[in-house]
Amino acid sequence: MLMLNKTNWTPASFILNGVPGLEDMHLWISFPFCSMYAVAMVGNCGLLYLIHLEDSLHRPMYYFLAMLSLTDIVMCSSTIPKALSIFWCHLKEIGFDECLVQMFFVHTFTGMESGVLMLMALDRYVAICYPLRYSTILTNPVIAKVGLATFLRGVFLIIPFTFLTKRLPYCRGNIIPHTYCDHMSVAKLSCGNIKVNVIYGLMVALLIGGFDILCITVSYTMILRAVVSLSSADARQKAFSTCTAHICAIVFSYSPAFFCFFFNRFGSHKIPPSCHIIVANIYLLLPPTMNPIVYGVKTKQIRDCVIRIFSGSKDIKSHSI
């Protein structure tokens, strides 16, 4: 009888309830969300255009930065427009299949974000430790292959989330206390056994986040050893300065990610749900907002290109031909 009724336990739609406990503040919460989303879209689209326009930026470091910008655009665009429609128009309903699609995009591209940050750490390692072989190691085909591999890693690891979530019976209502469809937020509405979902979610977090953090840590350990061994203080400062923007990007990305990870598994009874929801949205908004700003300020080549464009310099064409 359970198997016969299981098909009736799949809701046609879910209700995204926004930030629980702060419903009266939704309009005010929407302003920083909207502002950050606008900055993220303008900044990342501008960065992609600049990298495409300027031949001086056609180098491995900037190709990886273009991957990061594209990932950031998709990552925040998969959630923020829906969140703003909840805050502004009270359009809280989302179809079941649409919810699964959103969940797939959110988790795939957060995994892609982590993977690209790892590739950028390896790029800095090769640039600092093997400067003479930099252009021969990180050729365009190699960059395209590792970028594709990072994307496919996310796709193949996240696809099972949709099947694991779809198989569950939902008899605890259809109200999700969130602004978007997160894997565990949806799974917790099920009255079935979600142990497989929890275990697989932890395994994916370790395979993606754990592996990437390990690679980043090893890369920067080797970079630190190489930089410390340099005899010139100016050379050490220059080497460190090339890593500053990337280190900032790592902090912006992983800090809220760690909070969300540990909250879902250990702190759900100690921290207000509203705090978790806001941090979860910041996790998807802060890196896309800050990455273009940090790289624009900290990277001399990008800064110089922006200055030339806004000053209307006639040298722009010569740099893009």
Side-chain angles (χ1 to χ4, degrees):
M1 190 68 180
L2 176 65
M3 295 301 293
L4 291 174
N5 286 340
K6 201 170 183 179
T7 55
N8 297 327
W9 290 351
T10 300
S13 62
F14 288 115
I15 303 297
L16 292 169
N17 216 23
V19 184
L22 297 177
E23 287 83 1
D24 294 339
M25 300 291 293
H26 275 180
L27 184 61
W28 295 105
I29 294 171
S30 71
F31 290 127
F33 276 40
C34 182
S35 300
M36 292 175 72
Y37 180 60
V39 171
M41 293 301 293
V42 171
N44 285 289
C45 289
L47 206 51
L48 287 171
Y49 175 73
L50 196 64
I51 293 170
H52 169 73
L53 179 71
E54 293 285 338
D55 279 353
S56 61
L57 301 181
H58 292 178
R59 296 168 54 194
M61 172 183 171
Y62 302 106
Y63 290 145
F64 287 125
L65 182 56
M67 288 184 199
L68 186 67
S69 290
L70 189 59
T71 301
D72 284 340
I73 290 171
V74 178
M75 187 171 72
C76 62
S77 294
S78 62
T79 59
I80 300 304
K82 180 61 181 177
L84 293 177
S85 72
I86 294 171
F87 296 152
W88 289 342
C89 308
H90 303 288
L91 299 176
K92 299 183 177 184
E93 188 174 6
I94 184 171
F96 182 78
D97 291 331
E98 185 184 349
C99 182
L100 295 183
V101 170
Q102 186 186 53
M103 182 177 69
F104 171 78
F105 272 89
V106 168
H107 291 295
T108 296
F109 282 91
T110 50
M112 181 75 178
E113 173 100 357
S114 176
V116 174
L117 289 174
M118 179 265 293
L119 294 178
M120 295 174 83
L122 296 177
D123 167 77
R124 292 298 83 207
Y125 164 70
V126 175
I128 292 172
C129 298
Y130 302 99
L132 298 179
R133 298 172 56 194
Y134 180 62
S135 59
T136 58
I137 294 174
L138 291 176
T139 60
N140 288 350
V142 169
I143 294 169
K145 287 175 184 176
V146 295
L148 180 62
T150 303
F151 173 69
L152 292 177
R153 178 191 70 167
V155 169
F156 288 128
L157 286 175
I158 299 304
I159 279 179
F161 276 159
T162 59
F163 295 105
L164 289 172
T165 306
K166 195 165 187 175
R167 71 180 176 85
L168 294 171
Y170 294 91
C171 51
R172 291 180 178 171
N174 67 336
I175 298 177
I176 302 174
H178 214 308
T179 57
Y180 63 87
C181 291
D182 172 72
H183 171 233
M184 288 310 301
S185 297
V186 176
K188 286 176 181 177
L189 293 180
S190 172
C191 52
N193 188 349
I194 63 170
K195 191 173 183 180
V196 175
N197 296 65
V198 174
I199 293 173
Y200 185 73
L202 184 60
M203 186 179 75
V204 169
L206 292 174
L207 286 174
I208 295 180
F211 175 77
D212 293 343
I213 291 171
L214 176 63
C215 290
I216 290 170
T217 303
V218 171
S219 296
Y220 272 100
T221 301
M222 301 300 289
I223 289 171
L224 188 61
R225 288 179 57 186
V227 171
V228 169
S229 66
L230 295 173
S231 57
S232 169
D234 289 340
R236 287 195 295 269
Q237 184 179 0
K238 185 177 180 181
F240 273 127
S241 66
T242 63
C243 301
T244 305
H246 182 245
I247 293 171
C248 290
I250 291 171
V251 172
F252 291 139
S253 182
Y254 283 113
S255 297
F258 279 130
F259 177 89
C260 293
F261 176 80
F262 287 110
F263 176 89
N264 277 332
R265 284 154 183 83
F266 309 113
S268 57
H269 300 296
K270 299 178 182 178
I271 301 174
S274 58
C275 181
H276 168 236
I277 304 305
I278 290 173
V279 173
N281 280 276
I282 289 174
Y283 169 44
L284 298 179
L285 262 177
L286 187 63
T289 304
M290 296 305 300
N291 287 343
I293 297 172
V294 169
Y295 274 94
V297 171
K298 294 291 186 180
T299 309
K300 185 178 184 300
Q301 291 88 338
I302 294 176
R303 192 168 64 245
D304 290 345
C305 290
V306 172
I307 291 171
R308 282 200 307 272
I309 289 174
F310 278 98
S311 65
S313 172
K314 295 179 180 180
D315 293 337
I316 296 172
K317 290 289 184 181
S318 64
H319 281 81
S320 59
I321 295 175

